[in-house]
Amino acid sequence: MFCLLLLIFFACNKDTYNYMFENQSLTNKERVADLISQMTLKEKVSQMRYDAPAVERLNIPQYNWWNECLHGVARAGEATVFPQAIGMGATWNPELIFEMGTVVSDEARAKYHKFISEDKRSMSQGLTFWTPNINIFRDPRWGRGQETYGEDPLLTSRIGVNYIKGLQGDNEKYLKVIATAKHFAVHSGPEKSRHQDNYVTTKKDLYETYLPAFEAAVKEAKVHSVMCAYNRYNDKPCCGSDVLLQKILREDWQFKGYVVSDCWAITDFWQKDKHGVVNTPEEASALAVKSGTDLNCGSVYDPNLNEAVLKDLIDEKELDIALTRLFEARFKLGMFDDQNKVGWSKIPYSVVASEKHYKLSEQIAKESMVLLKNDNNVLPLSKEIKSIAIIGPNADSKQSLLGNYHGTPLNFITPLKGLQEKLPNTQINYALGSNIAKEWPTLTAIPKEVLRNGKVIGLKAEYFNNNTFKGEPTLQREDEIIDFIWTPKRPIDNLKSDAFSVKWSGEIVPQETGEYRIGLKASSYAKLYLNDSLQFEYNADFEPKLAYFDVKLTAKKPYKIRIDYSNTLSDPQAHLVWAKLNSDLLSPAIEAAKKSEVVILCLGLSPEIEGEEMPVVIEGFDKGDRSDITLPKSQLVLVKAIQKLGKPTVVVLMNGSALAINWTAKNISAILEAWYPGEFGGRAIADILFGDYNPSGKLPVTFYKSVNDLPDFKNYNMENRTYRYFKGEPLFPFGHGLSYSNFEYSNLKIADKIAKNNDIKISVDIKNNSKYSGEEVIQVYITHKNNEIDNNPIRTLVDFKKVFIKLNEIKTIKFEISANTYARISEEGKKVIESGTIEVSIGGNQPILKSSLLGKNILTAKIEVQ
């Protein structure tokens, strides 16, 4: 009778699922085991690539693991764009970055559920995000350093852990999204040789500098994914290193998630001009999986893992281990469950680019900005000023708001726009002044006066409802200017997918004779013809790409132009841009400055020339990295010319890495570092310059005076690198940042002696002795005075707190520094707690005795550990 009832029960419930793994009452472990047991070898291999296809017979939908959210959901249409990661580090406010992680994952979840409701499952439409980049920014030449939180392991750990926690959520059953700690490990340039390089370090440097942020991400934040790096470490490719992926990550740290390769990193394994550690793709696939790389961003695993199994290079059971980790992740995200039971699915799409999120982006922008210099209290400026000149290549640059790996904002508040908002009744005199670099002209949209289709202004546009230009155009019109971001609305009404294509044709008729650079920045696939000659063709793969050519044009002469654009991504855009080369940009800038009371110079760098593995090779820049760290010469000419006028001048820097602005720092009274500050960056800059926000950011990196102060770029030893080991005098030190407030430290309480393994307890009073309320970052550093272990850091950050203090208010701040934190790292990479003297300093900066920046806001004490 019991058996009959059991059969009836299963029969009645059979319609709820076709396979046992679809039964939501089972554990994830049981469901995953059942799913994998039913898969063929070919199906298993197909699910170990980033663009995993559907397995229809098992009701497994396709899934693309490639998604980015470095500082907001990226490449997925409209999203809130926050300050670049280096700016997140400069906030020194982990709690604020936790809020950001929560907001970003809200937008990610809302987007994902909208995408799957429309049966969209392509790149940038999923829930597995390849963020954060917690590599140490050990050298300012590294173009991708902008993606990190700076040069210090503790600061990087605190910001990274909080961002991961905000992203992954706090639900016991379902992960909100999956974060990915990257690039594991010992990875920070050079970009141009990352596929060949082998980096060797001591165990001390490995465990003291390169691993702490990853260990914190795994142990504290429970990050569910780790991305292995391109380079070799101690002779083994990072994605094929059993030491990194098995011994350290899984055995020592007990990591339970999955490992994904950096994109096409496993291809480097067998190519002779790359790592060349094996001879065939099959061997490369087997080595990567055996070492612990579960998922391949690339096309090596499929079909080569199938061949590797057949050739006995790897056992199919080893694939099952990797697949178990991958499907457990998808189950933890609720992808195989009734979405009504996944709480995160209730997040409405209205949160995306919402006012609440905008306010947070603007707040983080304000907290990220660092006041480097303010002699004679030049700042804040008076709002009663009648005329202001805003000059420089970043004064109205949209791209320099965004950095790299960004989403598509609905707002672009540049410094120019921010000032116009702030001072609607003030005369604003704008001039470009210079290009970012002599060889890198500022490209702007080709104006409608130049584009012709016969006698009609603009280009003939033919829009197709497919991405292959097939059939008759769905829409035909004249586009006066080719400067499109089709977010959130697509160009064709009722388009049910992201696939569409456009043909533009007509003529360019320049107003002036000269040398021009003509470019097209577009997503997906594009090609451009001039006078029926193909100038370039490219596939942007995953984000908009700029291609260009230089050509001499004659005034009033028509030149035939044709553009073919095809989109498959969820972030479609196309921009036809140009610049007249060798133009006089300086004279208009001088004229703008002469007729203004105050000059604001917006200088710095651009993510168009510093970033990931770029083709750009110009003076000072080398394929994404920098070969020099000075301000580009064209900008130095500009700042010197403006300074000669004797006008009150403020320099605002927008960049992703440290700059050796030696002349500027000596000759300009006020300098604000704004990084790549997100879509509301210009508003935040204006608020700080005019006193509506009191700056509170601190440098997360050292600003050196010269590239000559640095060791060889490829040398990964920490000697003479970062504030912990640099023996010279920096231009601006790590931890530096001024305020409109004057914070005074007093009443330091700390024991003279403690027993080994006891905490160091600290208490200090801080008074805001000024007319401005503001935030102070209280920094605690230690220096070990005994020399039993060689190569100790000069000093080490061991704790910090960001505290708001009202004008004339006194706050008592307390710290407890654990023995695990103040321990030293031995040459064997082990933590050692010794007897001896520790010097403790506490204040708003480092105790850099040689620096003229040292104020009266630092207290020191010595403590004996017995």
Side-chain angles (χ1 to χ4, degrees):
M1 185 68 180
F2 174 76
C3 292
L4 179 61
L5 290 172
L6 195 62
L7 287 171
I8 293 171
F9 171 79
F10 280 112
C12 291
N13 287 275
K14 177 66 176 175
D15 60 335
T16 60
Y17 55 88
N18 296 313
Y19 298 97
M20 191 175 83
F21 70 81
E22 296 176 314
N23 183 352
Q24 296 179 43
S25 67
L26 299 177
T27 65
N28 284 343
K29 185 176 182 180
E30 292 170 324
R31 296 171 73 184
V32 169
D34 175 69
L35 172 57
I36 293 174
S37 71
Q38 300 186 61
M39 298 176 73
T40 66
L41 174 60
K42 186 176 181 181
E43 288 169 341
K44 289 177 181 180
V45 170
S46 76
Q47 297 303 296
M48 294 175 67
R49 56 185 294 166
Y50 77 96
D51 52 347
V55 182
E56 293 181 2
R57 72 176 188 89
L58 292 175
N59 296 334
I60 301 173
Q62 74 177 83
Y63 182 67
N64 196 303
W65 296 77
W66 191 337
N67 307 275
E68 307 283 357
C69 66
L70 181 64
H71 51 121
V73 179
R75 306 167 182 162
E78 69 276 14
T80 306
V81 178
F82 293 84
Q84 177 59 293
I86 192 68
M88 294 159 62
T91 68
W92 288 61
N93 192 340
E95 292 77 14
L96 188 67
I97 304 308
F98 173 82
E99 289 183 46
M100 177 181 160
T102 302
V103 159
V104 171
S105 54
D106 278 353
E107 294 198 5
R109 266 289 173 176
K111 282 181 168 292
Y112 169 76
H113 291 287
K114 184 174 186 293
F115 284 136
I116 62 172
S117 73
E118 299 169 350
D119 198 29
K120 295 179 180 179
R121 301 174 184 272
S122 300
M123 184 186 295
S124 302
Q125 297 175 341
L127 290 174
T128 46
F129 289 89
W130 295 348
T131 295
N133 183 340
I134 53 174
N135 293 130
I136 295 301
F137 196 178
R138 67 184 176 93
D139 192 302
R141 287 169 286 198
W142 187 34
R144 294 190 75 181
Q146 61 178 287
E147 301 173 27
T148 76
Y149 305 128
E151 68 184 37
D152 181 70
L154 178 71
L155 179 61
T156 299
S157 298
R158 295 305 97 217
I159 300 292
V161 162
N162 277 269
Y163 194 41
I164 292 165
K165 286 183 175 180
L167 289 174
Q168 295 194 158
D170 58 359
N171 186 281
E172 291 186 5
K173 184 172 183 181
Y174 294 113
L175 288 164
K176 194 176 183 185
V177 306
I178 285 177
T180 302
K182 66 183 187 184
H183 310 80
F184 192 65
V186 192
H187 178 82
S188 53
E191 283 297 299
K192 67 180 181 181
S193 58
R194 61 185 185 171
H195 302 282
Q196 298 92 21
D197 285 347
N198 176 45
Y199 303 131
V200 177
T201 70
T202 64
K203 286 186 177 180
K204 177 178 174 63
D205 283 343
L206 178 66
Y207 283 91
E208 187 175 69
T209 297
Y210 296 111
L211 293 186
F214 286 98
E215 183 175 9
V218 171
K219 291 183 176 180
E220 295 181 53
K222 309 298 181 187
V223 71
H224 202 72
S225 174
V226 168
M227 177 180 282
C228 48
Y230 285 114
N231 55 277
R232 279 173 287 152
Y233 175 66
N234 284 356
D235 299 324
K236 290 190 175 182
C238 292
C239 294
S241 170
D242 52 350
V243 172
L244 290 176
L245 303 183
Q246 298 290 5
K247 172 66 171 64
I248 294 173
L249 189 61
R250 297 198 182 278
E251 294 177 20
D252 295 349
W253 297 349
Q254 293 297 295
F255 174 65
K256 302 300 182 185
Y258 65 90
V259 173
V260 56
S261 74
D262 208 337
C263 296
W264 280 265
I266 296 168
T267 303
D268 298 340
F269 284 21
W270 81 83
Q271 293 185 346
K272 298 306 179 185
D273 61 335
K274 304 294 177 56
H275 296 316
V277 295
V278 294
N279 295 316
T280 67
E282 294 88 351
E283 291 174 293
S285 299
L287 173 60
V289 175
K290 282 175 172 288
S291 300
T293 302
D294 307 301
L295 179 68
N296 177 212
C297 178
S299 54
V300 180
Y301 281 5
D302 191 6
N304 296 302
L305 269 177
N306 191 82
E307 292 299 309
V309 171
L310 297 178
K311 292 178 180 179
D312 292 328
L313 297 174
I314 189 171
D315 194 285
E316 188 173 346
K317 291 181 181 179
E318 293 177 276
L319 272 61
D320 291 349
I321 294 171
L323 279 166
T324 297
R325 294 168 184 156
L326 296 177
F327 275 108
E328 280 183 347
R330 293 179 68 175
F331 277 94
K332 285 177 181 289
L333 289 165
M335 291 181 174
F336 292 89
D337 290 1
D338 179 353
Q339 294 302 290
N340 291 321
K341 295 182 179 179
V342 181
W344 306 120
S345 69
K346 308 292 193 302
I347 298 172
Y349 196 82
S350 59
V351 303
V352 176
S354 61
E355 193 61 34
K356 175 185 174 184
H357 295 185
Y358 284 170
K359 288 180 179 177
L360 183 61
S361 176
E362 188 176 337
Q363 180 63 28
I364 294 173
K366 291 174 184 176
E367 293 202 29
S368 73
M369 294 180 186
V370 182
L371 185 58
L372 297 176
K373 186 180 179 185
N374 191 24
D375 285 359
N376 303 315
N377 294 321
V378 170
L379 297 177
L381 298 170
S382 169
K383 295 176 189 173
E384 303 304 316
I385 293 173
K386 297 293 190 293
S387 60
I388 294 177
I390 180 164
I391 298 169
N394 281 333
D396 198 32
S397 169
K398 293 180 179 179
Q399 194 60 41
S400 290
L401 293 174
L402 305 181
N404 68 359
Y405 281 88
H406 57 81
T408 300
L410 300 180
N411 305 277
F412 289 93
I413 311 298
T414 63
L416 173 60
K417 190 169 183 180
L419 282 180
Q420 290 168 336
E421 286 181 353
K422 177 71 66 179
L423 304 170
N425 300 317
T426 300
Q427 177 65 41
I428 307 291
N429 300 309
Y430 165 70
L432 184 61
S434 77
N435 292 314
I436 282 286
K438 180 181 178 182
E439 305 96 324
W440 197 259
T442 301
L443 301 175
T444 57
I446 297 182
K448 62 182 181 180
E449 294 81 11
V450 174
L451 300 178
R452 289 285 188 273
N453 175 26
K455 294 183 178 180
V456 179
I457 291 176
L459 299 182
K460 178 183 177 181
E462 300 171 282
Y463 290 82
F464 299 82
N465 63 1
N466 57 75
N467 68 321
T468 55
F469 311 97
K470 287 185 178 178
E472 292 297 315
T474 305
L475 170 67
Q476 294 189 62
R477 69 187 188 194
E478 267 70 42
D479 285 336
E480 292 186 346
I481 188 169
I482 314 303
D483 190 23
F484 294 107
I485 298 177
W486 288 289
T487 299
K489 185 175 170 57
R490 298 295 186 256
I492 301 173
D493 291 338
N494 302 315
L495 191 69
K496 296 188 182 301
S497 75
D498 296 316
F500 67 91
S501 51
V502 192
K503 285 182 178 289
W504 286 288
S505 58
E507 297 173 335
I508 291 179
V509 186
Q511 306 288 310
E512 299 176 12
T513 297
E515 292 282 341
Y516 287 82
R517 177 164 294 178
I518 297 175
L520 181 70
K521 185 176 184 180
S523 55
S524 291
Y525 169 82
K527 58 183 178 180
L528 186 149
Y529 296 85
L530 190 73
N531 283 344
D532 297 321
S533 175
L534 180 64
Q535 300 299 316
F536 53 73
E537 178 180 12
Y538 63 81
N539 194 326
D541 293 328
F542 53 83
E543 66 180 348
K545 178 180 179 179
L546 173 68
Y548 60 87
F549 62 97
D550 294 343
V551 62
K552 184 175 182 179
L553 303 178
T554 302
K556 310 301 181 183
K557 180 180 177 180
Y559 298 83
K560 289 174 64 177
I561 187 169
R562 190 182 107 210
I563 300 168
D564 294 346
Y565 167 79
S566 171
N567 183 71
T568 57
L569 301 177
S570 54
D571 193 23
Q573 49 187 289
H575 311 273
L576 180 61
V577 293
W578 76 343
K580 188 171 183 289
L581 304 178
N582 305 315
S583 296
D584 177 14
L585 302 178
L586 186 58
S587 295
I590 291 174
E591 289 306 308
K594 282 181 176 179
K595 59 186 180 183
S596 304
E597 296 176 52
V598 173
V599 180
I600 298 172
L601 284 174
C602 295
L603 309 176
L605 304 175
S606 167
E608 294 179 342
I609 54 176
E610 66 163 346
E612 182 176 5
E613 201 173 11
M614 295 176 167
V616 179
V617 180
I618 59 178
E619 185 177 14
F621 299 88
D622 187 12
K623 295 192 173 182
D625 296 321
R626 296 161 63 202
S627 52
D628 200 348
I629 61 172
T630 58
L631 194 68
K633 288 181 180 178
S634 57
Q635 296 184 60
L636 188 56
V637 169
L638 172 63
V639 69
K640 286 183 175 181
I642 296 299
Q643 190 267 349
K644 280 184 180 179
L645 300 177
K647 299 273 185 173
T649 300
V650 178
V651 165
V652 176
L653 299 174
M654 297 170 71
N655 43 282
S657 52
L659 283 163
I661 50 166
N662 302 354
W663 189 93
T664 304
K666 182 178 180 181
N667 292 280
I668 300 297
S669 297
I671 305 172
L672 179 70
E673 173 58 74
W675 315 107
Y676 298 133
E679 61 184 296
F680 296 100
R683 192 173 294 168
I685 288 168
D687 279 352
I688 290 175
L689 294 184
F690 288 90
D692 290 325
Y693 182 78
N694 189 350
S696 63
K698 302 285 186 178
L699 288 181
V701 290
T702 300
F703 276 44
Y704 302 93
K705 293 181 178 180
S706 170
V707 73
N708 296 326
D709 290 339
L710 303 170
D712 183 83
F713 194 2
K714 291 189 180 185
N715 181 349
Y716 269 70
N717 290 329
M718 290 307 297
E719 184 179 359
N720 214 38
R721 288 194 182 279
T722 77
Y723 79 94
R724 293 184 305 138
Y725 287 100
F726 182 56
K727 296 175 183 177
E729 184 175 6
L731 182 64
F732 297 107
F734 172 88
H736 170 67
L738 304 177
S739 169
Y740 297 151
S741 301
N742 178 29
F743 298 106
E744 294 185 357
Y745 287 68
S746 64
N747 198 25
L748 175 62
K749 296 179 180 178
I750 186 170
D752 295 331
K753 299 176 182 179
I754 61 168
K756 276 201 300 186
N757 297 310
N758 282 5
D759 294 348
I760 298 175
K761 296 182 179 181
I762 304 170
S763 173
V764 68
D765 291 344
I766 307 168
K767 182 180 181 181
N768 183 350
N769 188 20
S770 71
K771 61 181 180 180
Y772 297 98
S773 297
E775 289 181 294
E776 169 74 325
V777 178
I778 303 104
Q779 305 167 41
V780 183
Y781 296 87
I782 64 165
T783 299
H784 289 273
K785 291 298 185 180
N786 48 324
N787 296 313
E788 292 177 17
I789 296 177
D790 294 331
N791 304 316
N792 280 306
I794 298 167
R795 65 185 57 84
T796 301
L797 180 72
V798 291
D799 207 349
F800 61 92
K801 290 180 182 178
K802 192 167 191 174
V803 180
F804 180 79
I805 308 175
K806 296 178 183 178
L807 57 101
N808 295 317
E809 181 183 16
I810 298 175
K811 280 193 173 180
T812 300
I813 307 299
K814 296 182 179 180
F815 295 91
E816 288 191 13
I817 313 302
S818 69
N820 188 56
T821 301
Y822 68 74
R824 296 205 283 185
I825 304 298
S826 71
E827 294 299 332
E828 290 73 38
K830 304 295 184 183
K831 287 193 173 182
V832 178
I833 301 171
E834 307 168 294
S835 301
T837 303
I838 295 177
E839 184 173 86
V840 179
S841 67
I842 184 166
N845 200 344
Q846 295 180 60
I848 300 179
L849 302 180
K850 295 181 182 179
S851 175
S852 61
L853 295 164
L854 181 62
K856 297 179 180 179
N857 62 344
I858 294 175
L859 300 176
T860 61
K862 290 183 179 180
I863 184 169
E864 293 294 327
V865 180
Q866 299 180 330

